[in-house]
C-alpha cells in the first residue's frame, strides 16, 4: 500500500511539474542564412530579431556561411531536413546557390531572398534595394563630381553575386552620358576591406593619375582610402562607397570618403513579409527598398539619427530583458501555485488511500480466512486424489501384467496352429507340380507365418524378462562379421523400397570379438532395423555404424542405427521404450519390439539411447560391454527363436522373387482391360491383390496415399483400391484428394481396413469412398466389388446425350463442372478443323491420356468421338434450318472435306446430306 501511495504521489508531481515547467513550442521556425558576416548584415540580423519580438511563438535561427558557397549549401540542406517553416537567405554567389534554393522551394518551404537574387524565379519574395538603381545613381554622382571628365577606378564585390553585377551595370549605363569620364580599371575585392587595400596598392603603381575610386561597399572604399593615404595620394582622389552604415557615415563625416549611398538593411520589412507568408496574408513578391546619397552635407544628421536609433535599440533590448525577468518570475509563481495545488490534491489522495487501505485490509483478512479454509479443504481433496492415484497405479500395473499374461497365454495357444500351418506349407512348397502363381501365394503364407511366430517369441521373451527368468546364453563371436550376416536380408528389402542401406565399422575387424548372447544381439539388430525400415520412406538412407569405445574403464562396442525417416517428437522419445506403446495408428505393430531391445540391452549391462526430431530422422545408439561375465556355452545348437528369425529373414529375401514376378507384368494401356490402382504400404498385400486382378485388369501400384494420388492423376484408372492406414498420407486423406481433383473425381474408391468400427466407415464415406472391405477379405468378394463399381460407373455414362441435347445425369459437383466446361468448349471450338484432343486437354488442364480416360469413363466415348457427334448434330440442324450448301456447312462445323463429312453423316444418320435435302424439299 505504501508503494502504491508513493507511486501516485510521484506521478502527480511529475505531471504538475511538467505542466508548470513546459514552455509553449514555437508555432513557426524561421531560418536565416547569411552569406557573410559584416556590420551591415549584423544590423539586418538585429532588425529581424527585434521585429520577431512582436510575433509570439516565432523561433529565429541564424546561420553564417562566411563567404563560402559549400558551407552555405550544407546549411540549407540541413534546414530542408529539419523542415523549417520558412527560409530567409542572402545567396553568396547566384550560380552556385541557385540549385539548392530551388530544392527548398520545390520542397514546399517558402523562400525570401534578401540583398541578393538568384538565377531563377523559384523564390517566394525578395526584400532589398535595387542594386542597379544604386549603381546608376553612383554613376550620375561620379559624372557630376568630376564635372564630366576624369579617370575612375571601380572596386567591385564578389563577381558571382548579383549586387556586384547589377551595381556595375548601373554605373556603366549612367556614365554613357559622360563620355569623357573613363573607367580605367574594374577589379574584384570580394567585399573585403583588406583585399581592397591590396588591389588599390597595385592599381596606384600602374595608374599615376586617378581622380575617383568607386567601391561597391564602404569597407572596400575605406580600405582603398587607407592604402592611398599611405602612398600620399589620398588628397588627389575622391572615394565613394555604398551601404551608409556606421563606419561609412563616420568616414564621410570625417572626410575620408567623399560620399556613400544608403543600402537599407530592411530586417523589419523581411520579418513582416515572412509572417504574412506564413499566416496566409496578402504580401508583395518584390519589395524594393529606397536609397539616398550621403555626403558631407547630411553626414552629421545621419550620424545623429543612427545614434538615436542605436539608443532606441538598446532600450528595446533592455525592455526585452525585463520582460524575460517578469516572465521568469511569473513562471516561478505559477509553479509555486501548482505545487500548492499538487500538495493539496496529494493530501486528499493520501487521506483517501488511508481510508481505502483500512477497508481493504479488513476485506483481505476476511478473504484470507476464507481462502485458508478452502486450502485446507483442497489439501484434504488432494490427499484423497493421491490415494486414488496410488490405487489406480496399482490397478494399471496389475492390468498391464494381466494383459501381458493374456498375450503370453494366447501366444502359447497360437504356436500349435501356426506350427500345423507352417509344416504343411513347407511340404506343399516341395511339390514340383505347383504352378508359379500357386508357389508364390504359398511363399506369402509361409513368410507371414514366420512373422507371427517371431511376434509370439517376442511376447514370451518379454514375459520371461518381466519375471526375471530371461538369462543370457554366452558365446564368443565376432560382432562385426555376425552383424553383416544378420543384416544381409535387409539389403533385399532396401532394394525393394529404393533405400540406400549400408553397414560400416571403424577400425580393424579383429577388434570386434566379444563374449555375449549372440541370439539376443541379433534380435536387437533385427528390431532396430525393422523399426528403421518401417519409418523410412522410399529413396531414404539407413546406416549401421559400429565402433569400439571405452566407457567406465571398460571396453565396449557401440552400434548406431541411423535413418532419414519421419522422426519422432520430444513427447514420443520419452515413451518409445515402453511396452505396448505405438507412435501413431498409421504404423501398425505389437509395441514390444523396442521394449524388448531395452530388455536385452539391460541384460547385457549396456545402455540404449535415441536421438530424433520431427522430419529429421532417428538414431538409436546401443552400447554393450565387449565381455560379459558368466559361463561361455558356445553355439552348438540354435534355439527355436533363432531359427524363426533366420527363417523370416530368408523369406524376406525369397519374397523378392514374388515381387519381381508381379512387377514385371508392367503397366500397359489396353483398350480391352480396365485399370485398377492398388494403394497399400504393405508389399505383400499389393502383390497378392495384383495376382488376383492382373488377368482381368491392368494393375498400377502405390506405396502410400501421396504416391497414389500422383499415380491416379497420371493414369486415371477405372477404380482405386486403397488401404486406410498408411504413412505419409492415409486412405481417408487420399480419398478426399482424389474426389476433389478434376482428373480423378469420377473414379470409384474401394477402401480396405483392418478395423470394423462404424465411426471409421462413416469417416470414409464422408470422404467420398464408394465401398468398404474389411481385412482379411475374400478374394471373390474383392473381385465382385471391383466389377460392380466399374459397371455402376458405366451406367452413368450419358454425357454424349447431354452434349448433343440429351437429358441430365447424376454426377458429382466436380464432374458436373467438367461436363459443362467440355460441352461449352466443344461448342466454341467446333468450327476449327485443326482442333485436336491435345488442344481440348490443354484448355481443360488435362493431358491427352487423362482426358481420354476421364471422358471414356464418364461417357463411353473418346473425346474425338464426342467432337464428331457434336459436329454432325450441328450440321443436321443447319441442313434443316438454313439454305446453306453442304460444302458451306461442312467447313462451318469443322470438317476438313465434304466427302469425309458425307461419309460420317451417313454412318451416323443412315442417309447422306443430299438425300436429307431432297427429302426436306419434297416435304416443302
Amino acid at each position: 500500500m505504501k508503494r502504491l501511495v508513493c507511486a501516485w504521489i510521484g506521478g502527480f508531481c511529475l505531471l504538475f511539474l511538467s505542466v508548470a515547467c513546459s514552455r509553449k513550442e514555437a508555432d513557426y521556425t524561421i531560418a536565416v542564412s547569411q552569406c557573410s558576416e559584416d556590420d551591415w548584415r549584423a544590423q539586418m540580423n538585429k532588425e529581424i530579431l527585434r521585429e520577431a519580438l512582436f510575433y509570439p511563438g516565432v523561433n529565429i535561427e541564424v546561420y553564417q556561411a562566411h563567404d563560402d558557397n559549400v558551407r552555405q549549401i550544407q546549411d540549407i540542406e540541413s534546414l530542408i531536413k529539419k523542415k523549417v517553416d520558412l527560409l530567409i537567405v542572402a545567396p553568396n554567389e547566384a550560380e552556385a546557390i541557385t540549385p539548392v534554393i530551388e530544392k527548398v522551394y520545390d520542397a514546399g518551404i517558402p523562400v525570401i531572398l534578401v540583398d541578393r537574387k538568384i538565377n531563377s524565379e523559384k523564390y517566394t519574395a525578395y526584400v532589398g534595394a535595387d542594386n542597379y538603381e544604386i549603381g546608376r545613381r553612383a554613376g550620375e554622382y561620379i559624372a557630376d563630381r568630376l564635372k564630366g571628365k576624369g579617370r575612375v577606378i571601380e572596386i567591385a564585390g564578389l563577381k558571382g553575386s548579383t549586387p556586384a553585377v547589377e551595381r556595375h551595370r548601373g554605373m556603366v549605363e549612367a556614365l554613357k552620358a559622360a563620355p569623357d569620364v573613363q573607367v580605367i580599371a574594374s577589379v574584384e575585392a570580394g567585399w573585403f576591406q583588406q583585399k581592397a587595400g591590396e588591389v588599390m596598392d597595385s592599381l596606384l603603381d600602374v595608374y599615376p593619375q586617378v581622380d575617383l575610386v568607386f567601391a561597391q561597399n564602404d569597407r572596400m572604399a575605406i580600405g582603398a582610402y587607407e592604402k592611398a593615404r599611405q602612398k600620399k595620394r589620398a588628397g588627389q582622389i575622391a572615394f565613394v562607397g555604398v551601404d551608409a552604415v556606421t563606419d561609412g557615415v563616420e568616414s564621410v563625416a570625417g572626410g575620408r570618403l567623399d560620399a556613400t549611398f544608403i543600402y537599407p538593411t530592411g530586417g523589419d520589412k523581411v520579418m513582416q513579409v515572412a509572417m504574412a507568408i506564413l499566416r496566409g496574408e496578402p504580401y508583395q513578391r518584390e519589395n524594393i527598398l529606397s536609397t539616398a546619397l550621403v555626403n558631407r552635407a547630411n553626414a552629421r544628421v545621419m550620424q545623429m539619427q543612427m545614434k538615436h536609433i542605436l539608443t532606441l535599440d538598446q532600450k528595446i533590448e533592455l525592455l526585452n530583458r525585463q520582460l524575460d525577468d517578469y516572465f521568469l518570475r511569473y513562471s516561478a509563481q505559477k509553479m509555486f501555485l501548482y505545487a500548492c495545488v499538487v500538495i493539496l490534491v496529494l493530501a486528499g489522495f493520501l487521506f483517501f488511500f488511508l481510508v481505502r487501505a483500512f477497508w481493504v485490509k479488513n476485506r483481505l483478512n476476511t478473504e484470507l480466512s476464507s481462502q485458508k479454509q478452502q486450502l485446507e479443504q483442497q489439501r484434504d481433496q488432494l490427499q484423497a486424489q493421491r490415494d486414488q492415484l496410488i490405487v489406480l497405479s496399482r490397478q494399471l500395473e496389475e492390468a498391464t501384467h494381466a494383459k501381458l499374461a493374456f498375450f503370453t497365454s494366447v501366444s502359447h495357444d497360437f504356436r500349435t496352429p501356426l506350427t500345423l500351418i507352417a509344416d504343411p506349407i513347407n511340404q506343399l512348397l516341395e511339390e514340383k507340380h505347383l504352378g508359379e502363381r500357386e508357389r508364390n501365394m504359398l511363399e506369402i503364407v509361409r513368410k507371414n507365418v514366420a512373422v507371427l511366430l517371431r511376434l509370439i517369441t517376442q511376447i514370451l521373451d518379454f514375459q520371461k524378462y518381466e519375471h526375471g527368468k530371461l538369462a543370457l546364453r554366452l558365446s564368443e563371436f565376432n560382432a562385426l562379421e555376425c552383424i553383416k550376416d544378420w543384416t544381409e536380408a535387409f539389403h533385399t528389402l532396401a532394394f525393394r523400397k529404393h533405400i540406400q542401406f549400408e553397414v560400416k565399422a571403424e577400425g580393424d575387424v579383429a577388434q570386434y570379438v566379444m563374449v555375449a548372447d549372440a541370439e539376443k544381439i541379433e534380435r536387437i539388430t533385427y528390431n532396430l532395423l525393422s523399426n528403421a525400415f518401417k519409418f523410412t520412406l522410399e529413396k531414404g538412407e539407413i546406416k549401421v555404424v559400429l565402433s569400439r569405445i571405452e566407457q567406465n574403464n571398460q571396453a565396449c562396442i557401440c552400434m548406431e542405427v541411423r535413418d532419414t525417416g519421419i522422426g519422432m517428437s520430444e513427447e514420443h522419445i520419452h515413451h518409445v521404450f515402453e511396452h505396448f506403446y505405438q507412435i501413431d495408428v498409421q504404423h501398425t505393430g505389437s509395441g514390444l519390439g523396442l521394449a524388448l531391445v531395452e530388455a536385452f540391452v539391460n541384460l547385457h549391462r549396456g545402455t540404449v539411447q535415441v536421438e530424433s526430431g520431427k522430419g529429421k530422422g532417428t538414431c538409436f545408439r546401443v552400447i554393450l560391454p565387449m565381455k560379459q561375465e558368466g559361463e561361455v556355452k558356445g553355439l552348438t545348437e540354435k534355439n527355436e527363436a533363432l531359427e524363426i528369425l533366420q527363417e523370416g529373414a530368408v523369406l524376406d529375401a525369397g519374397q523378392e522373387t514374388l515381387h519381381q514376378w508381379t512387377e514385371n507384368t508392367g503397366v500397359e494401356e489396353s483398350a480391352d482391360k480396365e485399370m485398377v490402382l492398388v494403394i497399400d504400404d504393405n508389399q505383400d498385400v499389393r502383390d497378392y491383390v495384383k495376382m488376383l486382378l492382373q488377368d482381368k485388369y491392368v494393375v498400377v501400384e502405390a506405396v502410400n496415399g501421396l504416391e497414389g494420388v500422383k499415380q491416379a492423376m497420371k493414369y486415371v484408372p477405372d477404380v482405386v483400391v486403397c488401404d486406410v492406414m498408411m504413412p505419409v498420407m492415409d486412405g481417408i486423406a487420399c480419398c478426399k484428394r482424389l474426389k476433389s481433383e478434376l482428373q480423378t473425381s469420377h473414379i470409384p474408391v474401394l477402401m480396405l481396413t483392418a478395423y470394423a468400427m462404424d465411426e471409421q466407415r462413416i469417416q470414409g464415406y464422408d470422404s467420398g469412398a464408394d465401398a468398404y472391405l474389411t481385412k482379411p477379405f475374400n478374394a471373390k468378394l474383392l473381385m465382385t466389388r471391383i466389377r460392380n463399381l466399374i459397371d455402376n460407373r458405366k451406367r452413368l455414362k450419358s454425357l454424349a446425350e447431354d452434349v448433343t441435347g440429351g437429358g441430365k445425369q447424376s454426377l458429382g459437383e466436380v464432374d458436373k463442372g467438367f461436363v459443362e466446361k467440355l460441352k461449352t468448349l466443344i461448342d466454341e471450338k467446333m468450327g476449327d478443323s485443326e482442333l485436336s484432343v491435345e488442344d481440348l486437354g490443354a484448355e481443360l488442364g488435362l493431358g491427352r491420356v487423362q482426358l481420354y480416360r476421364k471422358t471414356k469413363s464418364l461417357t463411353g466415348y473418346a473425346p474425338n468421338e464426342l467432337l464428331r457427334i457434336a459436329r454432325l448434330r450441328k450440321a443436321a440442324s443447319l441442313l434443316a434450318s438454313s439454305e446453306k450448301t453442304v460444302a458451306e456447312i461442312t467447313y462451318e462445323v469443322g470438317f476438313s472435306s465434304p466427302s469425309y463429312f458425307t461419309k460420317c453423316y451417313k454412318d451416323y444418320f443412315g442417309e447422306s446430306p443430299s438425300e436429307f435435302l431432297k427429302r426436306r424439299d419434297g416435304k416443302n
Side-chain angles (χ1 to χ4, degrees):
M1 182 59 66
K2 289 181 179 179
R3 291 182 180 178
L4 184 61
V5 173
C6 291
W8 273 95
I9 293 174
F12 272 105
C13 288
L14 290 175
L15 175 63
F16 281 102
L17 286 176
S18 64
V19 172
C21 298
S22 63
R23 294 182 177 179
K24 183 179 180 182
E25 294 185 0
D27 296 330
Y28 301 109
T29 298
I30 299 175
V32 180
S33 176
Q34 292 287 9
C35 59
S36 61
E37 190 173 10
D38 52 39
D39 293 340
W40 188 85
R41 299 194 184 281
Q43 181 63 26
M44 178 191 289
N45 293 339
K46 286 182 180 179
E47 292 173 358
I48 291 174
L49 293 171
R50 184 177 65 234
E51 188 69 18
L53 296 175
F54 296 99
Y55 300 99
V58 175
N59 178 38
I60 305 295
E61 298 179 0
V62 180
Y63 297 82
Q64 294 288 351
H66 299 287
D67 302 286
D68 186 346
N69 289 332
V70 175
R71 181 168 179 177
Q72 189 168 34
I73 291 171
Q74 292 175 347
D75 289 343
I76 295 175
E77 290 281 1
S78 67
L79 294 174
I80 295 175
K81 294 179 180 179
K82 288 177 65 175
K83 297 182 179 180
V84 296
D85 297 293
L86 185 140
L87 175 64
I88 299 171
V89 59
N92 190 48
E93 289 187 79
E95 184 175 354
I97 306 301
T98 295
V100 73
I101 292 180
E102 289 181 334
K103 186 176 180 180
V104 176
Y105 186 83
D106 292 337
I109 300 174
V111 179
I112 298 179
L113 301 178
V114 295
D115 175 30
R116 305 177 181 185
K117 289 192 175 183
I118 60 173
N119 299 334
S120 172
E121 291 298 320
K122 288 190 175 182
Y123 61 88
T124 310
Y126 169 77
V127 178
D130 188 340
N131 285 289
Y132 174 83
E133 179 65 18
I134 290 175
R136 190 185 64 78
R137 294 189 63 175
E140 291 175 350
Y141 176 80
I142 292 169
D144 182 66
R145 176 71 173 78
L146 298 178
K147 301 188 183 302
K149 184 177 181 179
R151 295 165 64 86
V152 178
I153 291 176
E154 180 188 28
I155 301 178
L158 194 64
K159 66 178 180 179
S161 62
T162 56
V165 174
E166 292 176 357
R167 289 175 187 180
H168 170 77
R169 186 164 56 87
M171 182 196 73
V172 171
E173 189 69 24
L175 289 178
K176 288 180 179 180
D180 292 333
V181 176
Q182 299 178 13
V183 179
I184 59 176
S186 179
V187 294
E188 177 191 356
W191 308 109
F192 297 114
Q193 180 174 330
Q194 182 179 353
K195 190 172 181 181
E198 296 172 355
V199 169
M200 190 63 189
D201 187 27
S202 301
L203 292 173
L204 290 174
D205 293 337
V206 175
Y207 300 106
Q209 181 182 352
V210 178
D211 298 308
L212 187 143
V213 173
F214 171 57
Q216 290 188 353
N217 72 356
D218 290 341
R219 286 192 298 173
M220 294 190 296
I222 294 170
Y225 169 81
E226 291 296 334
K227 185 57 65 176
R229 186 180 61 79
Q230 293 174 9
K231 291 199 170 191
K232 310 296 183 181
R233 294 181 61 181
Q236 306 169 6
I237 305 171
F239 294 90
V240 178
V242 177
D243 277 350
V245 290
T246 304
D247 290 343
V249 175
E250 288 179 354
S251 296
V252 173
R256 291 182 293 173
L257 300 184
D258 191 69
T260 185
F261 287 86
I262 296 174
Y263 189 61
T265 53
D268 51 351
K269 181 64 176 178
V270 171
M271 194 63 201
Q272 292 167 9
V273 173
M275 293 310 299
I277 293 171
L278 291 175
R279 291 176 174 178
E281 299 172 355
Y283 66 92
Q284 189 172 341
R285 188 169 189 263
E286 301 293 330
N287 299 272
I288 306 301
L289 305 177
S290 59
T291 184
L293 174 67
V294 179
N295 55 21
R296 294 182 183 180
N298 59 6
R300 294 297 179 186
V301 176
M302 288 290 296
Q303 277 186 306
M304 294 174 59
Q305 289 178 346
M306 292 178 69
K307 287 181 180 179
H308 181 65
I309 291 171
L310 179 62
T311 302
L312 292 177
D313 286 344
Q314 292 173 349
K315 288 182 179 180
I316 290 173
E317 291 178 0
L318 177 61
L319 288 173
N320 186 38
R321 288 195 297 269
Q322 289 178 346
L323 281 173
D324 288 341
D325 292 339
Y326 292 149
F327 279 121
L328 184 61
R329 293 177 188 176
Y330 171 73
S331 297
Q333 292 172 355
K334 185 169 65 172
M335 185 185 300
F336 178 74
L337 178 62
Y338 284 156
C340 293
V341 173
V342 169
I343 291 171
L344 290 174
V345 172
L346 290 177
F349 272 106
L350 182 61
F351 177 75
F352 169 76
F353 278 116
L354 289 174
V355 173
R356 188 175 182 277
F358 176 77
W359 177 78
V360 170
K361 181 179 179 182
N362 289 336
R363 181 174 60 82
L364 289 176
N365 287 335
T366 304
E367 291 179 356
L368 286 173
S369 225
S370 173
Q371 290 177 0
K372 182 180 179 182
Q373 294 176 358
Q374 292 177 359
L375 288 174
E376 290 176 351
Q377 294 175 358
Q378 291 177 358
R379 182 188 61 188
D380 296 338
Q381 292 175 356
L382 287 174
Q383 289 178 349
Q385 290 176 358
R386 184 192 63 183
D387 296 339
Q388 290 178 359
L389 287 174
I390 292 173
V391 173
L392 289 174
S393 178
R394 289 174 181 171
Q395 291 176 351
L396 181 61
E397 185 177 356
E398 292 172 359
T400 301
H401 285 294
K403 181 179 179 181
L404 192 59
F406 170 76
F407 280 151
T408 304
S409 177
V410 172
S411 298
H412 281 290
D413 294 338
F414 281 162
R415 291 176 68 86
T416 300
L418 284 174
T419 303
L420 295 177
I421 295 172
D423 187 61
I425 289 173
N426 290 333
Q427 293 183 28
L428 286 172
L429 285 171
E430 294 174 358
E431 294 290 335
K432 297 181 179 181
H433 65 276
L434 284 176
E436 187 177 5
R437 174 185 175 89
E438 289 78 9
R439 185 175 299 279
N440 282 293
M441 294 182 72
L442 288 173
E443 288 286 0
I444 293 176
V445 178
R446 182 185 178 191
K447 175 188 174 182
N448 286 278
V449 168
V451 172
L452 286 174
L453 287 172
R454 184 166 61 247
L455 293 175
I456 290 169
T457 302
Q458 287 189 165
I459 294 174
L460 295 176
D461 284 345
F462 196 79
Q463 175 71 357
K464 291 178 183 178
Y465 176 76
E466 288 281 294
H467 290 84
K469 295 180 180 181
L470 191 62
L472 296 177
R473 183 182 179 89
L474 301 180
S475 62
E476 187 177 33
F477 60 96
N478 188 293
L480 177 56
E481 293 178 350
C482 289
I483 288 176
K484 286 185 176 179
D485 290 340
W486 297 334
T487 58
E488 186 63 32
F490 286 97
H491 286 282
T492 303
L493 182 59
F495 176 79
R496 285 168 50 188
K497 294 188 69 175
H498 306 289
I499 292 174
Q500 184 178 344
F501 175 59
E502 64 175 326
V503 178
K504 62 180 182 178
E506 299 176 1
D508 187 24
V509 66
Q511 67 181 2
Y512 290 99
V513 176
M514 65 183 301
V515 175
D517 189 328
E519 179 257 330
K520 290 180 174 56
I521 294 178
E522 181 181 11
R523 297 273 289 280
I524 291 172
T525 306
Y526 183 88
N527 283 342
L528 291 179
L529 283 175
S530 297
N531 189 76
F533 275 93
K534 181 189 299 183
F535 293 100
T536 301
L537 305 179
E538 289 193 358
K539 299 182 181 180
E541 293 183 8
I542 298 176
K543 293 182 181 179
V544 178
V545 182
L546 296 178
S547 60
R548 180 167 174 149
I549 63 173
E550 293 289 329
Q551 190 175 78
N552 299 327
N553 298 322
Q554 187 179 19
C556 298
I557 185 172
C558 176
M559 179 176 67
E560 293 185 351
V561 178
R562 307 171 187 169
D563 66 63
T564 59
I566 62 176
M568 293 178 285
S569 64
E570 190 75 21
E571 175 188 359
H572 293 312
I573 291 175
H574 293 315
H575 303 284
V576 73
F577 292 112
E578 295 178 6
H579 45 276
F580 306 123
Y581 183 78
Q582 293 176 319
I583 291 179
D584 56 47
V585 298
Q586 306 300 336
H587 299 84
T588 57
S590 63
L592 281 178
L594 293 179
L596 203 59
V597 167
E598 185 180 46
F600 289 165
V601 170
N602 291 339
L603 281 175
H604 285 84
R605 295 178 292 109
T607 59
V608 58
Q609 299 172 336
V610 59
E611 296 177 1
S612 185
K614 199 72 173 177
K616 298 180 180 180
T618 304
C619 175
F620 283 93
R621 183 178 296 105
V622 176
I623 299 176
L624 302 174
M626 295 295 292
K627 186 174 182 180
Q628 300 291 327
E629 297 178 359
E631 180 184 356
V632 178
K633 297 182 179 179
L635 291 174
T636 57
E637 181 181 353
K638 295 184 180 294
N639 59 28
E640 179 185 6
L642 184 57
E643 291 175 355
I644 292 171
L645 278 173
Q646 291 177 334
E647 182 181 11
V650 171
L651 285 173
D652 276 339
Q655 185 64 22
E656 179 61 20
T657 304
L658 172 63
H659 178 64
Q660 290 176 349
W661 178 74
T662 56
E663 280 290 320
N664 291 335
T665 58
V667 177
E668 299 178 356
E669 294 281 350
S670 173
D672 299 329
K673 289 185 178 182
E674 290 94 351
M675 181 180 290
V676 178
L677 170 62
V678 181
I679 309 174
D680 199 302
D681 60 326
N682 188 297
Q683 182 66 51
D684 295 335
V685 173
R686 296 202 307 272
D687 291 343
Y688 178 62
V689 174
K690 188 169 185 177
M691 281 192 299
L692 294 175
L693 302 178
Q694 64 185 1
D695 290 339
K696 294 184 178 180
Y697 305 97
V698 176
V699 181
V700 183
E701 298 181 54
V703 298
N704 55 59
L706 184 60
E707 181 67 23
V709 172
K710 293 179 181 178
Q711 295 287 67
M713 296 182 72
K714 178 179 180 181
Y715 293 108
V716 191
D718 295 281
V719 69
V720 174
V721 179
C722 181
D723 189 24
V724 172
M725 294 186 180
M726 293 180 294
V728 184
M729 180 188 286
D730 61 25
I732 302 298
C734 176
C735 185
K736 287 183 179 178
R737 180 73 181 275
L738 291 174
K739 293 299 183 178
S740 64
E741 293 291 342
L742 175 64
Q743 297 95 319
T744 58
S745 59
H746 66 285
I747 303 173
V749 178
L750 172 62
M751 305 291 286
L752 299 179
T753 178
Y755 295 91
M757 295 182 293
D758 290 339
E759 291 80 1
Q760 191 186 68
R761 288 176 177 269
I762 293 172
Q763 189 180 10
Y765 285 126
D766 287 341
S767 68
D770 296 271
Y772 251 101
L773 271 183
T774 305
K775 295 180 182 179
F777 52 81
N778 182 279
K780 289 185 178 180
L781 181 59
L782 174 67
M783 299 282 286
T784 303
R785 284 289 180 90
I786 292 173
R787 185 71 262 162
N788 287 342
L789 288 173
I790 294 175
D791 290 343
N792 288 338
R793 174 57 59 180
K794 287 182 176 179
R795 295 189 185 100
L796 297 176
K797 294 176 181 178
S798 58
L799 178 60
E801 295 179 0
D802 187 36
V803 171
T804 57
K808 295 183 179 179
Q809 57 182 344
S810 175
L811 296 174
E813 292 298 325
V814 177
D815 290 337
K816 286 180 180 178
F818 171 78
V819 168
E820 292 298 327
K821 193 168 184 179
L822 178 60
K823 178 181 178 181
T824 303
L825 189 59
I826 288 175
D827 290 342
E828 292 176 353
K829 304 284 185 178
M830 182 187 300
D832 183 4
S833 61
E834 301 296 326
L835 184 64
S836 64
V837 176
E838 286 79 5
D839 296 333
L840 290 173
E843 292 285 344
L844 293 168
L846 301 175
R848 182 186 64 81
V849 175
Q850 294 171 332
L851 177 63
Y852 177 85
R853 293 193 60 82
K854 185 172 182 70
T855 308
K856 189 79 171 177
S857 176
L858 286 172
T859 70
Y861 292 97
N864 56 344
E865 292 176 323
L866 287 177
L867 179 60
R868 186 168 62 252
I869 292 171
R871 284 171 169 169
L872 291 172
R873 291 275 184 169
K874 178 69 173 178
S877 176
L878 292 174
L879 286 171
S881 60
S882 71
E883 297 299 327
K884 294 180 180 180
T885 65
V886 173
E888 290 174 336
I889 294 174
T890 296
Y891 297 118
E892 183 175 342
V893 299
F895 280 94
S896 58
S897 68
S899 60
Y900 179 65
F901 166 67
T902 300
K903 177 182 179 302
C904 294
Y905 190 92
K906 188 169 185 179
D907 290 342
Y908 189 77
F909 291 105
E911 62 179 348
S912 66
S914 57
E915 292 173 346
F916 171 79
L917 291 175
K918 290 178 182 180
R919 185 163 52 83
R920 184 195 68 176
D921 294 339
K923 288 183 179 180
N924 290 337

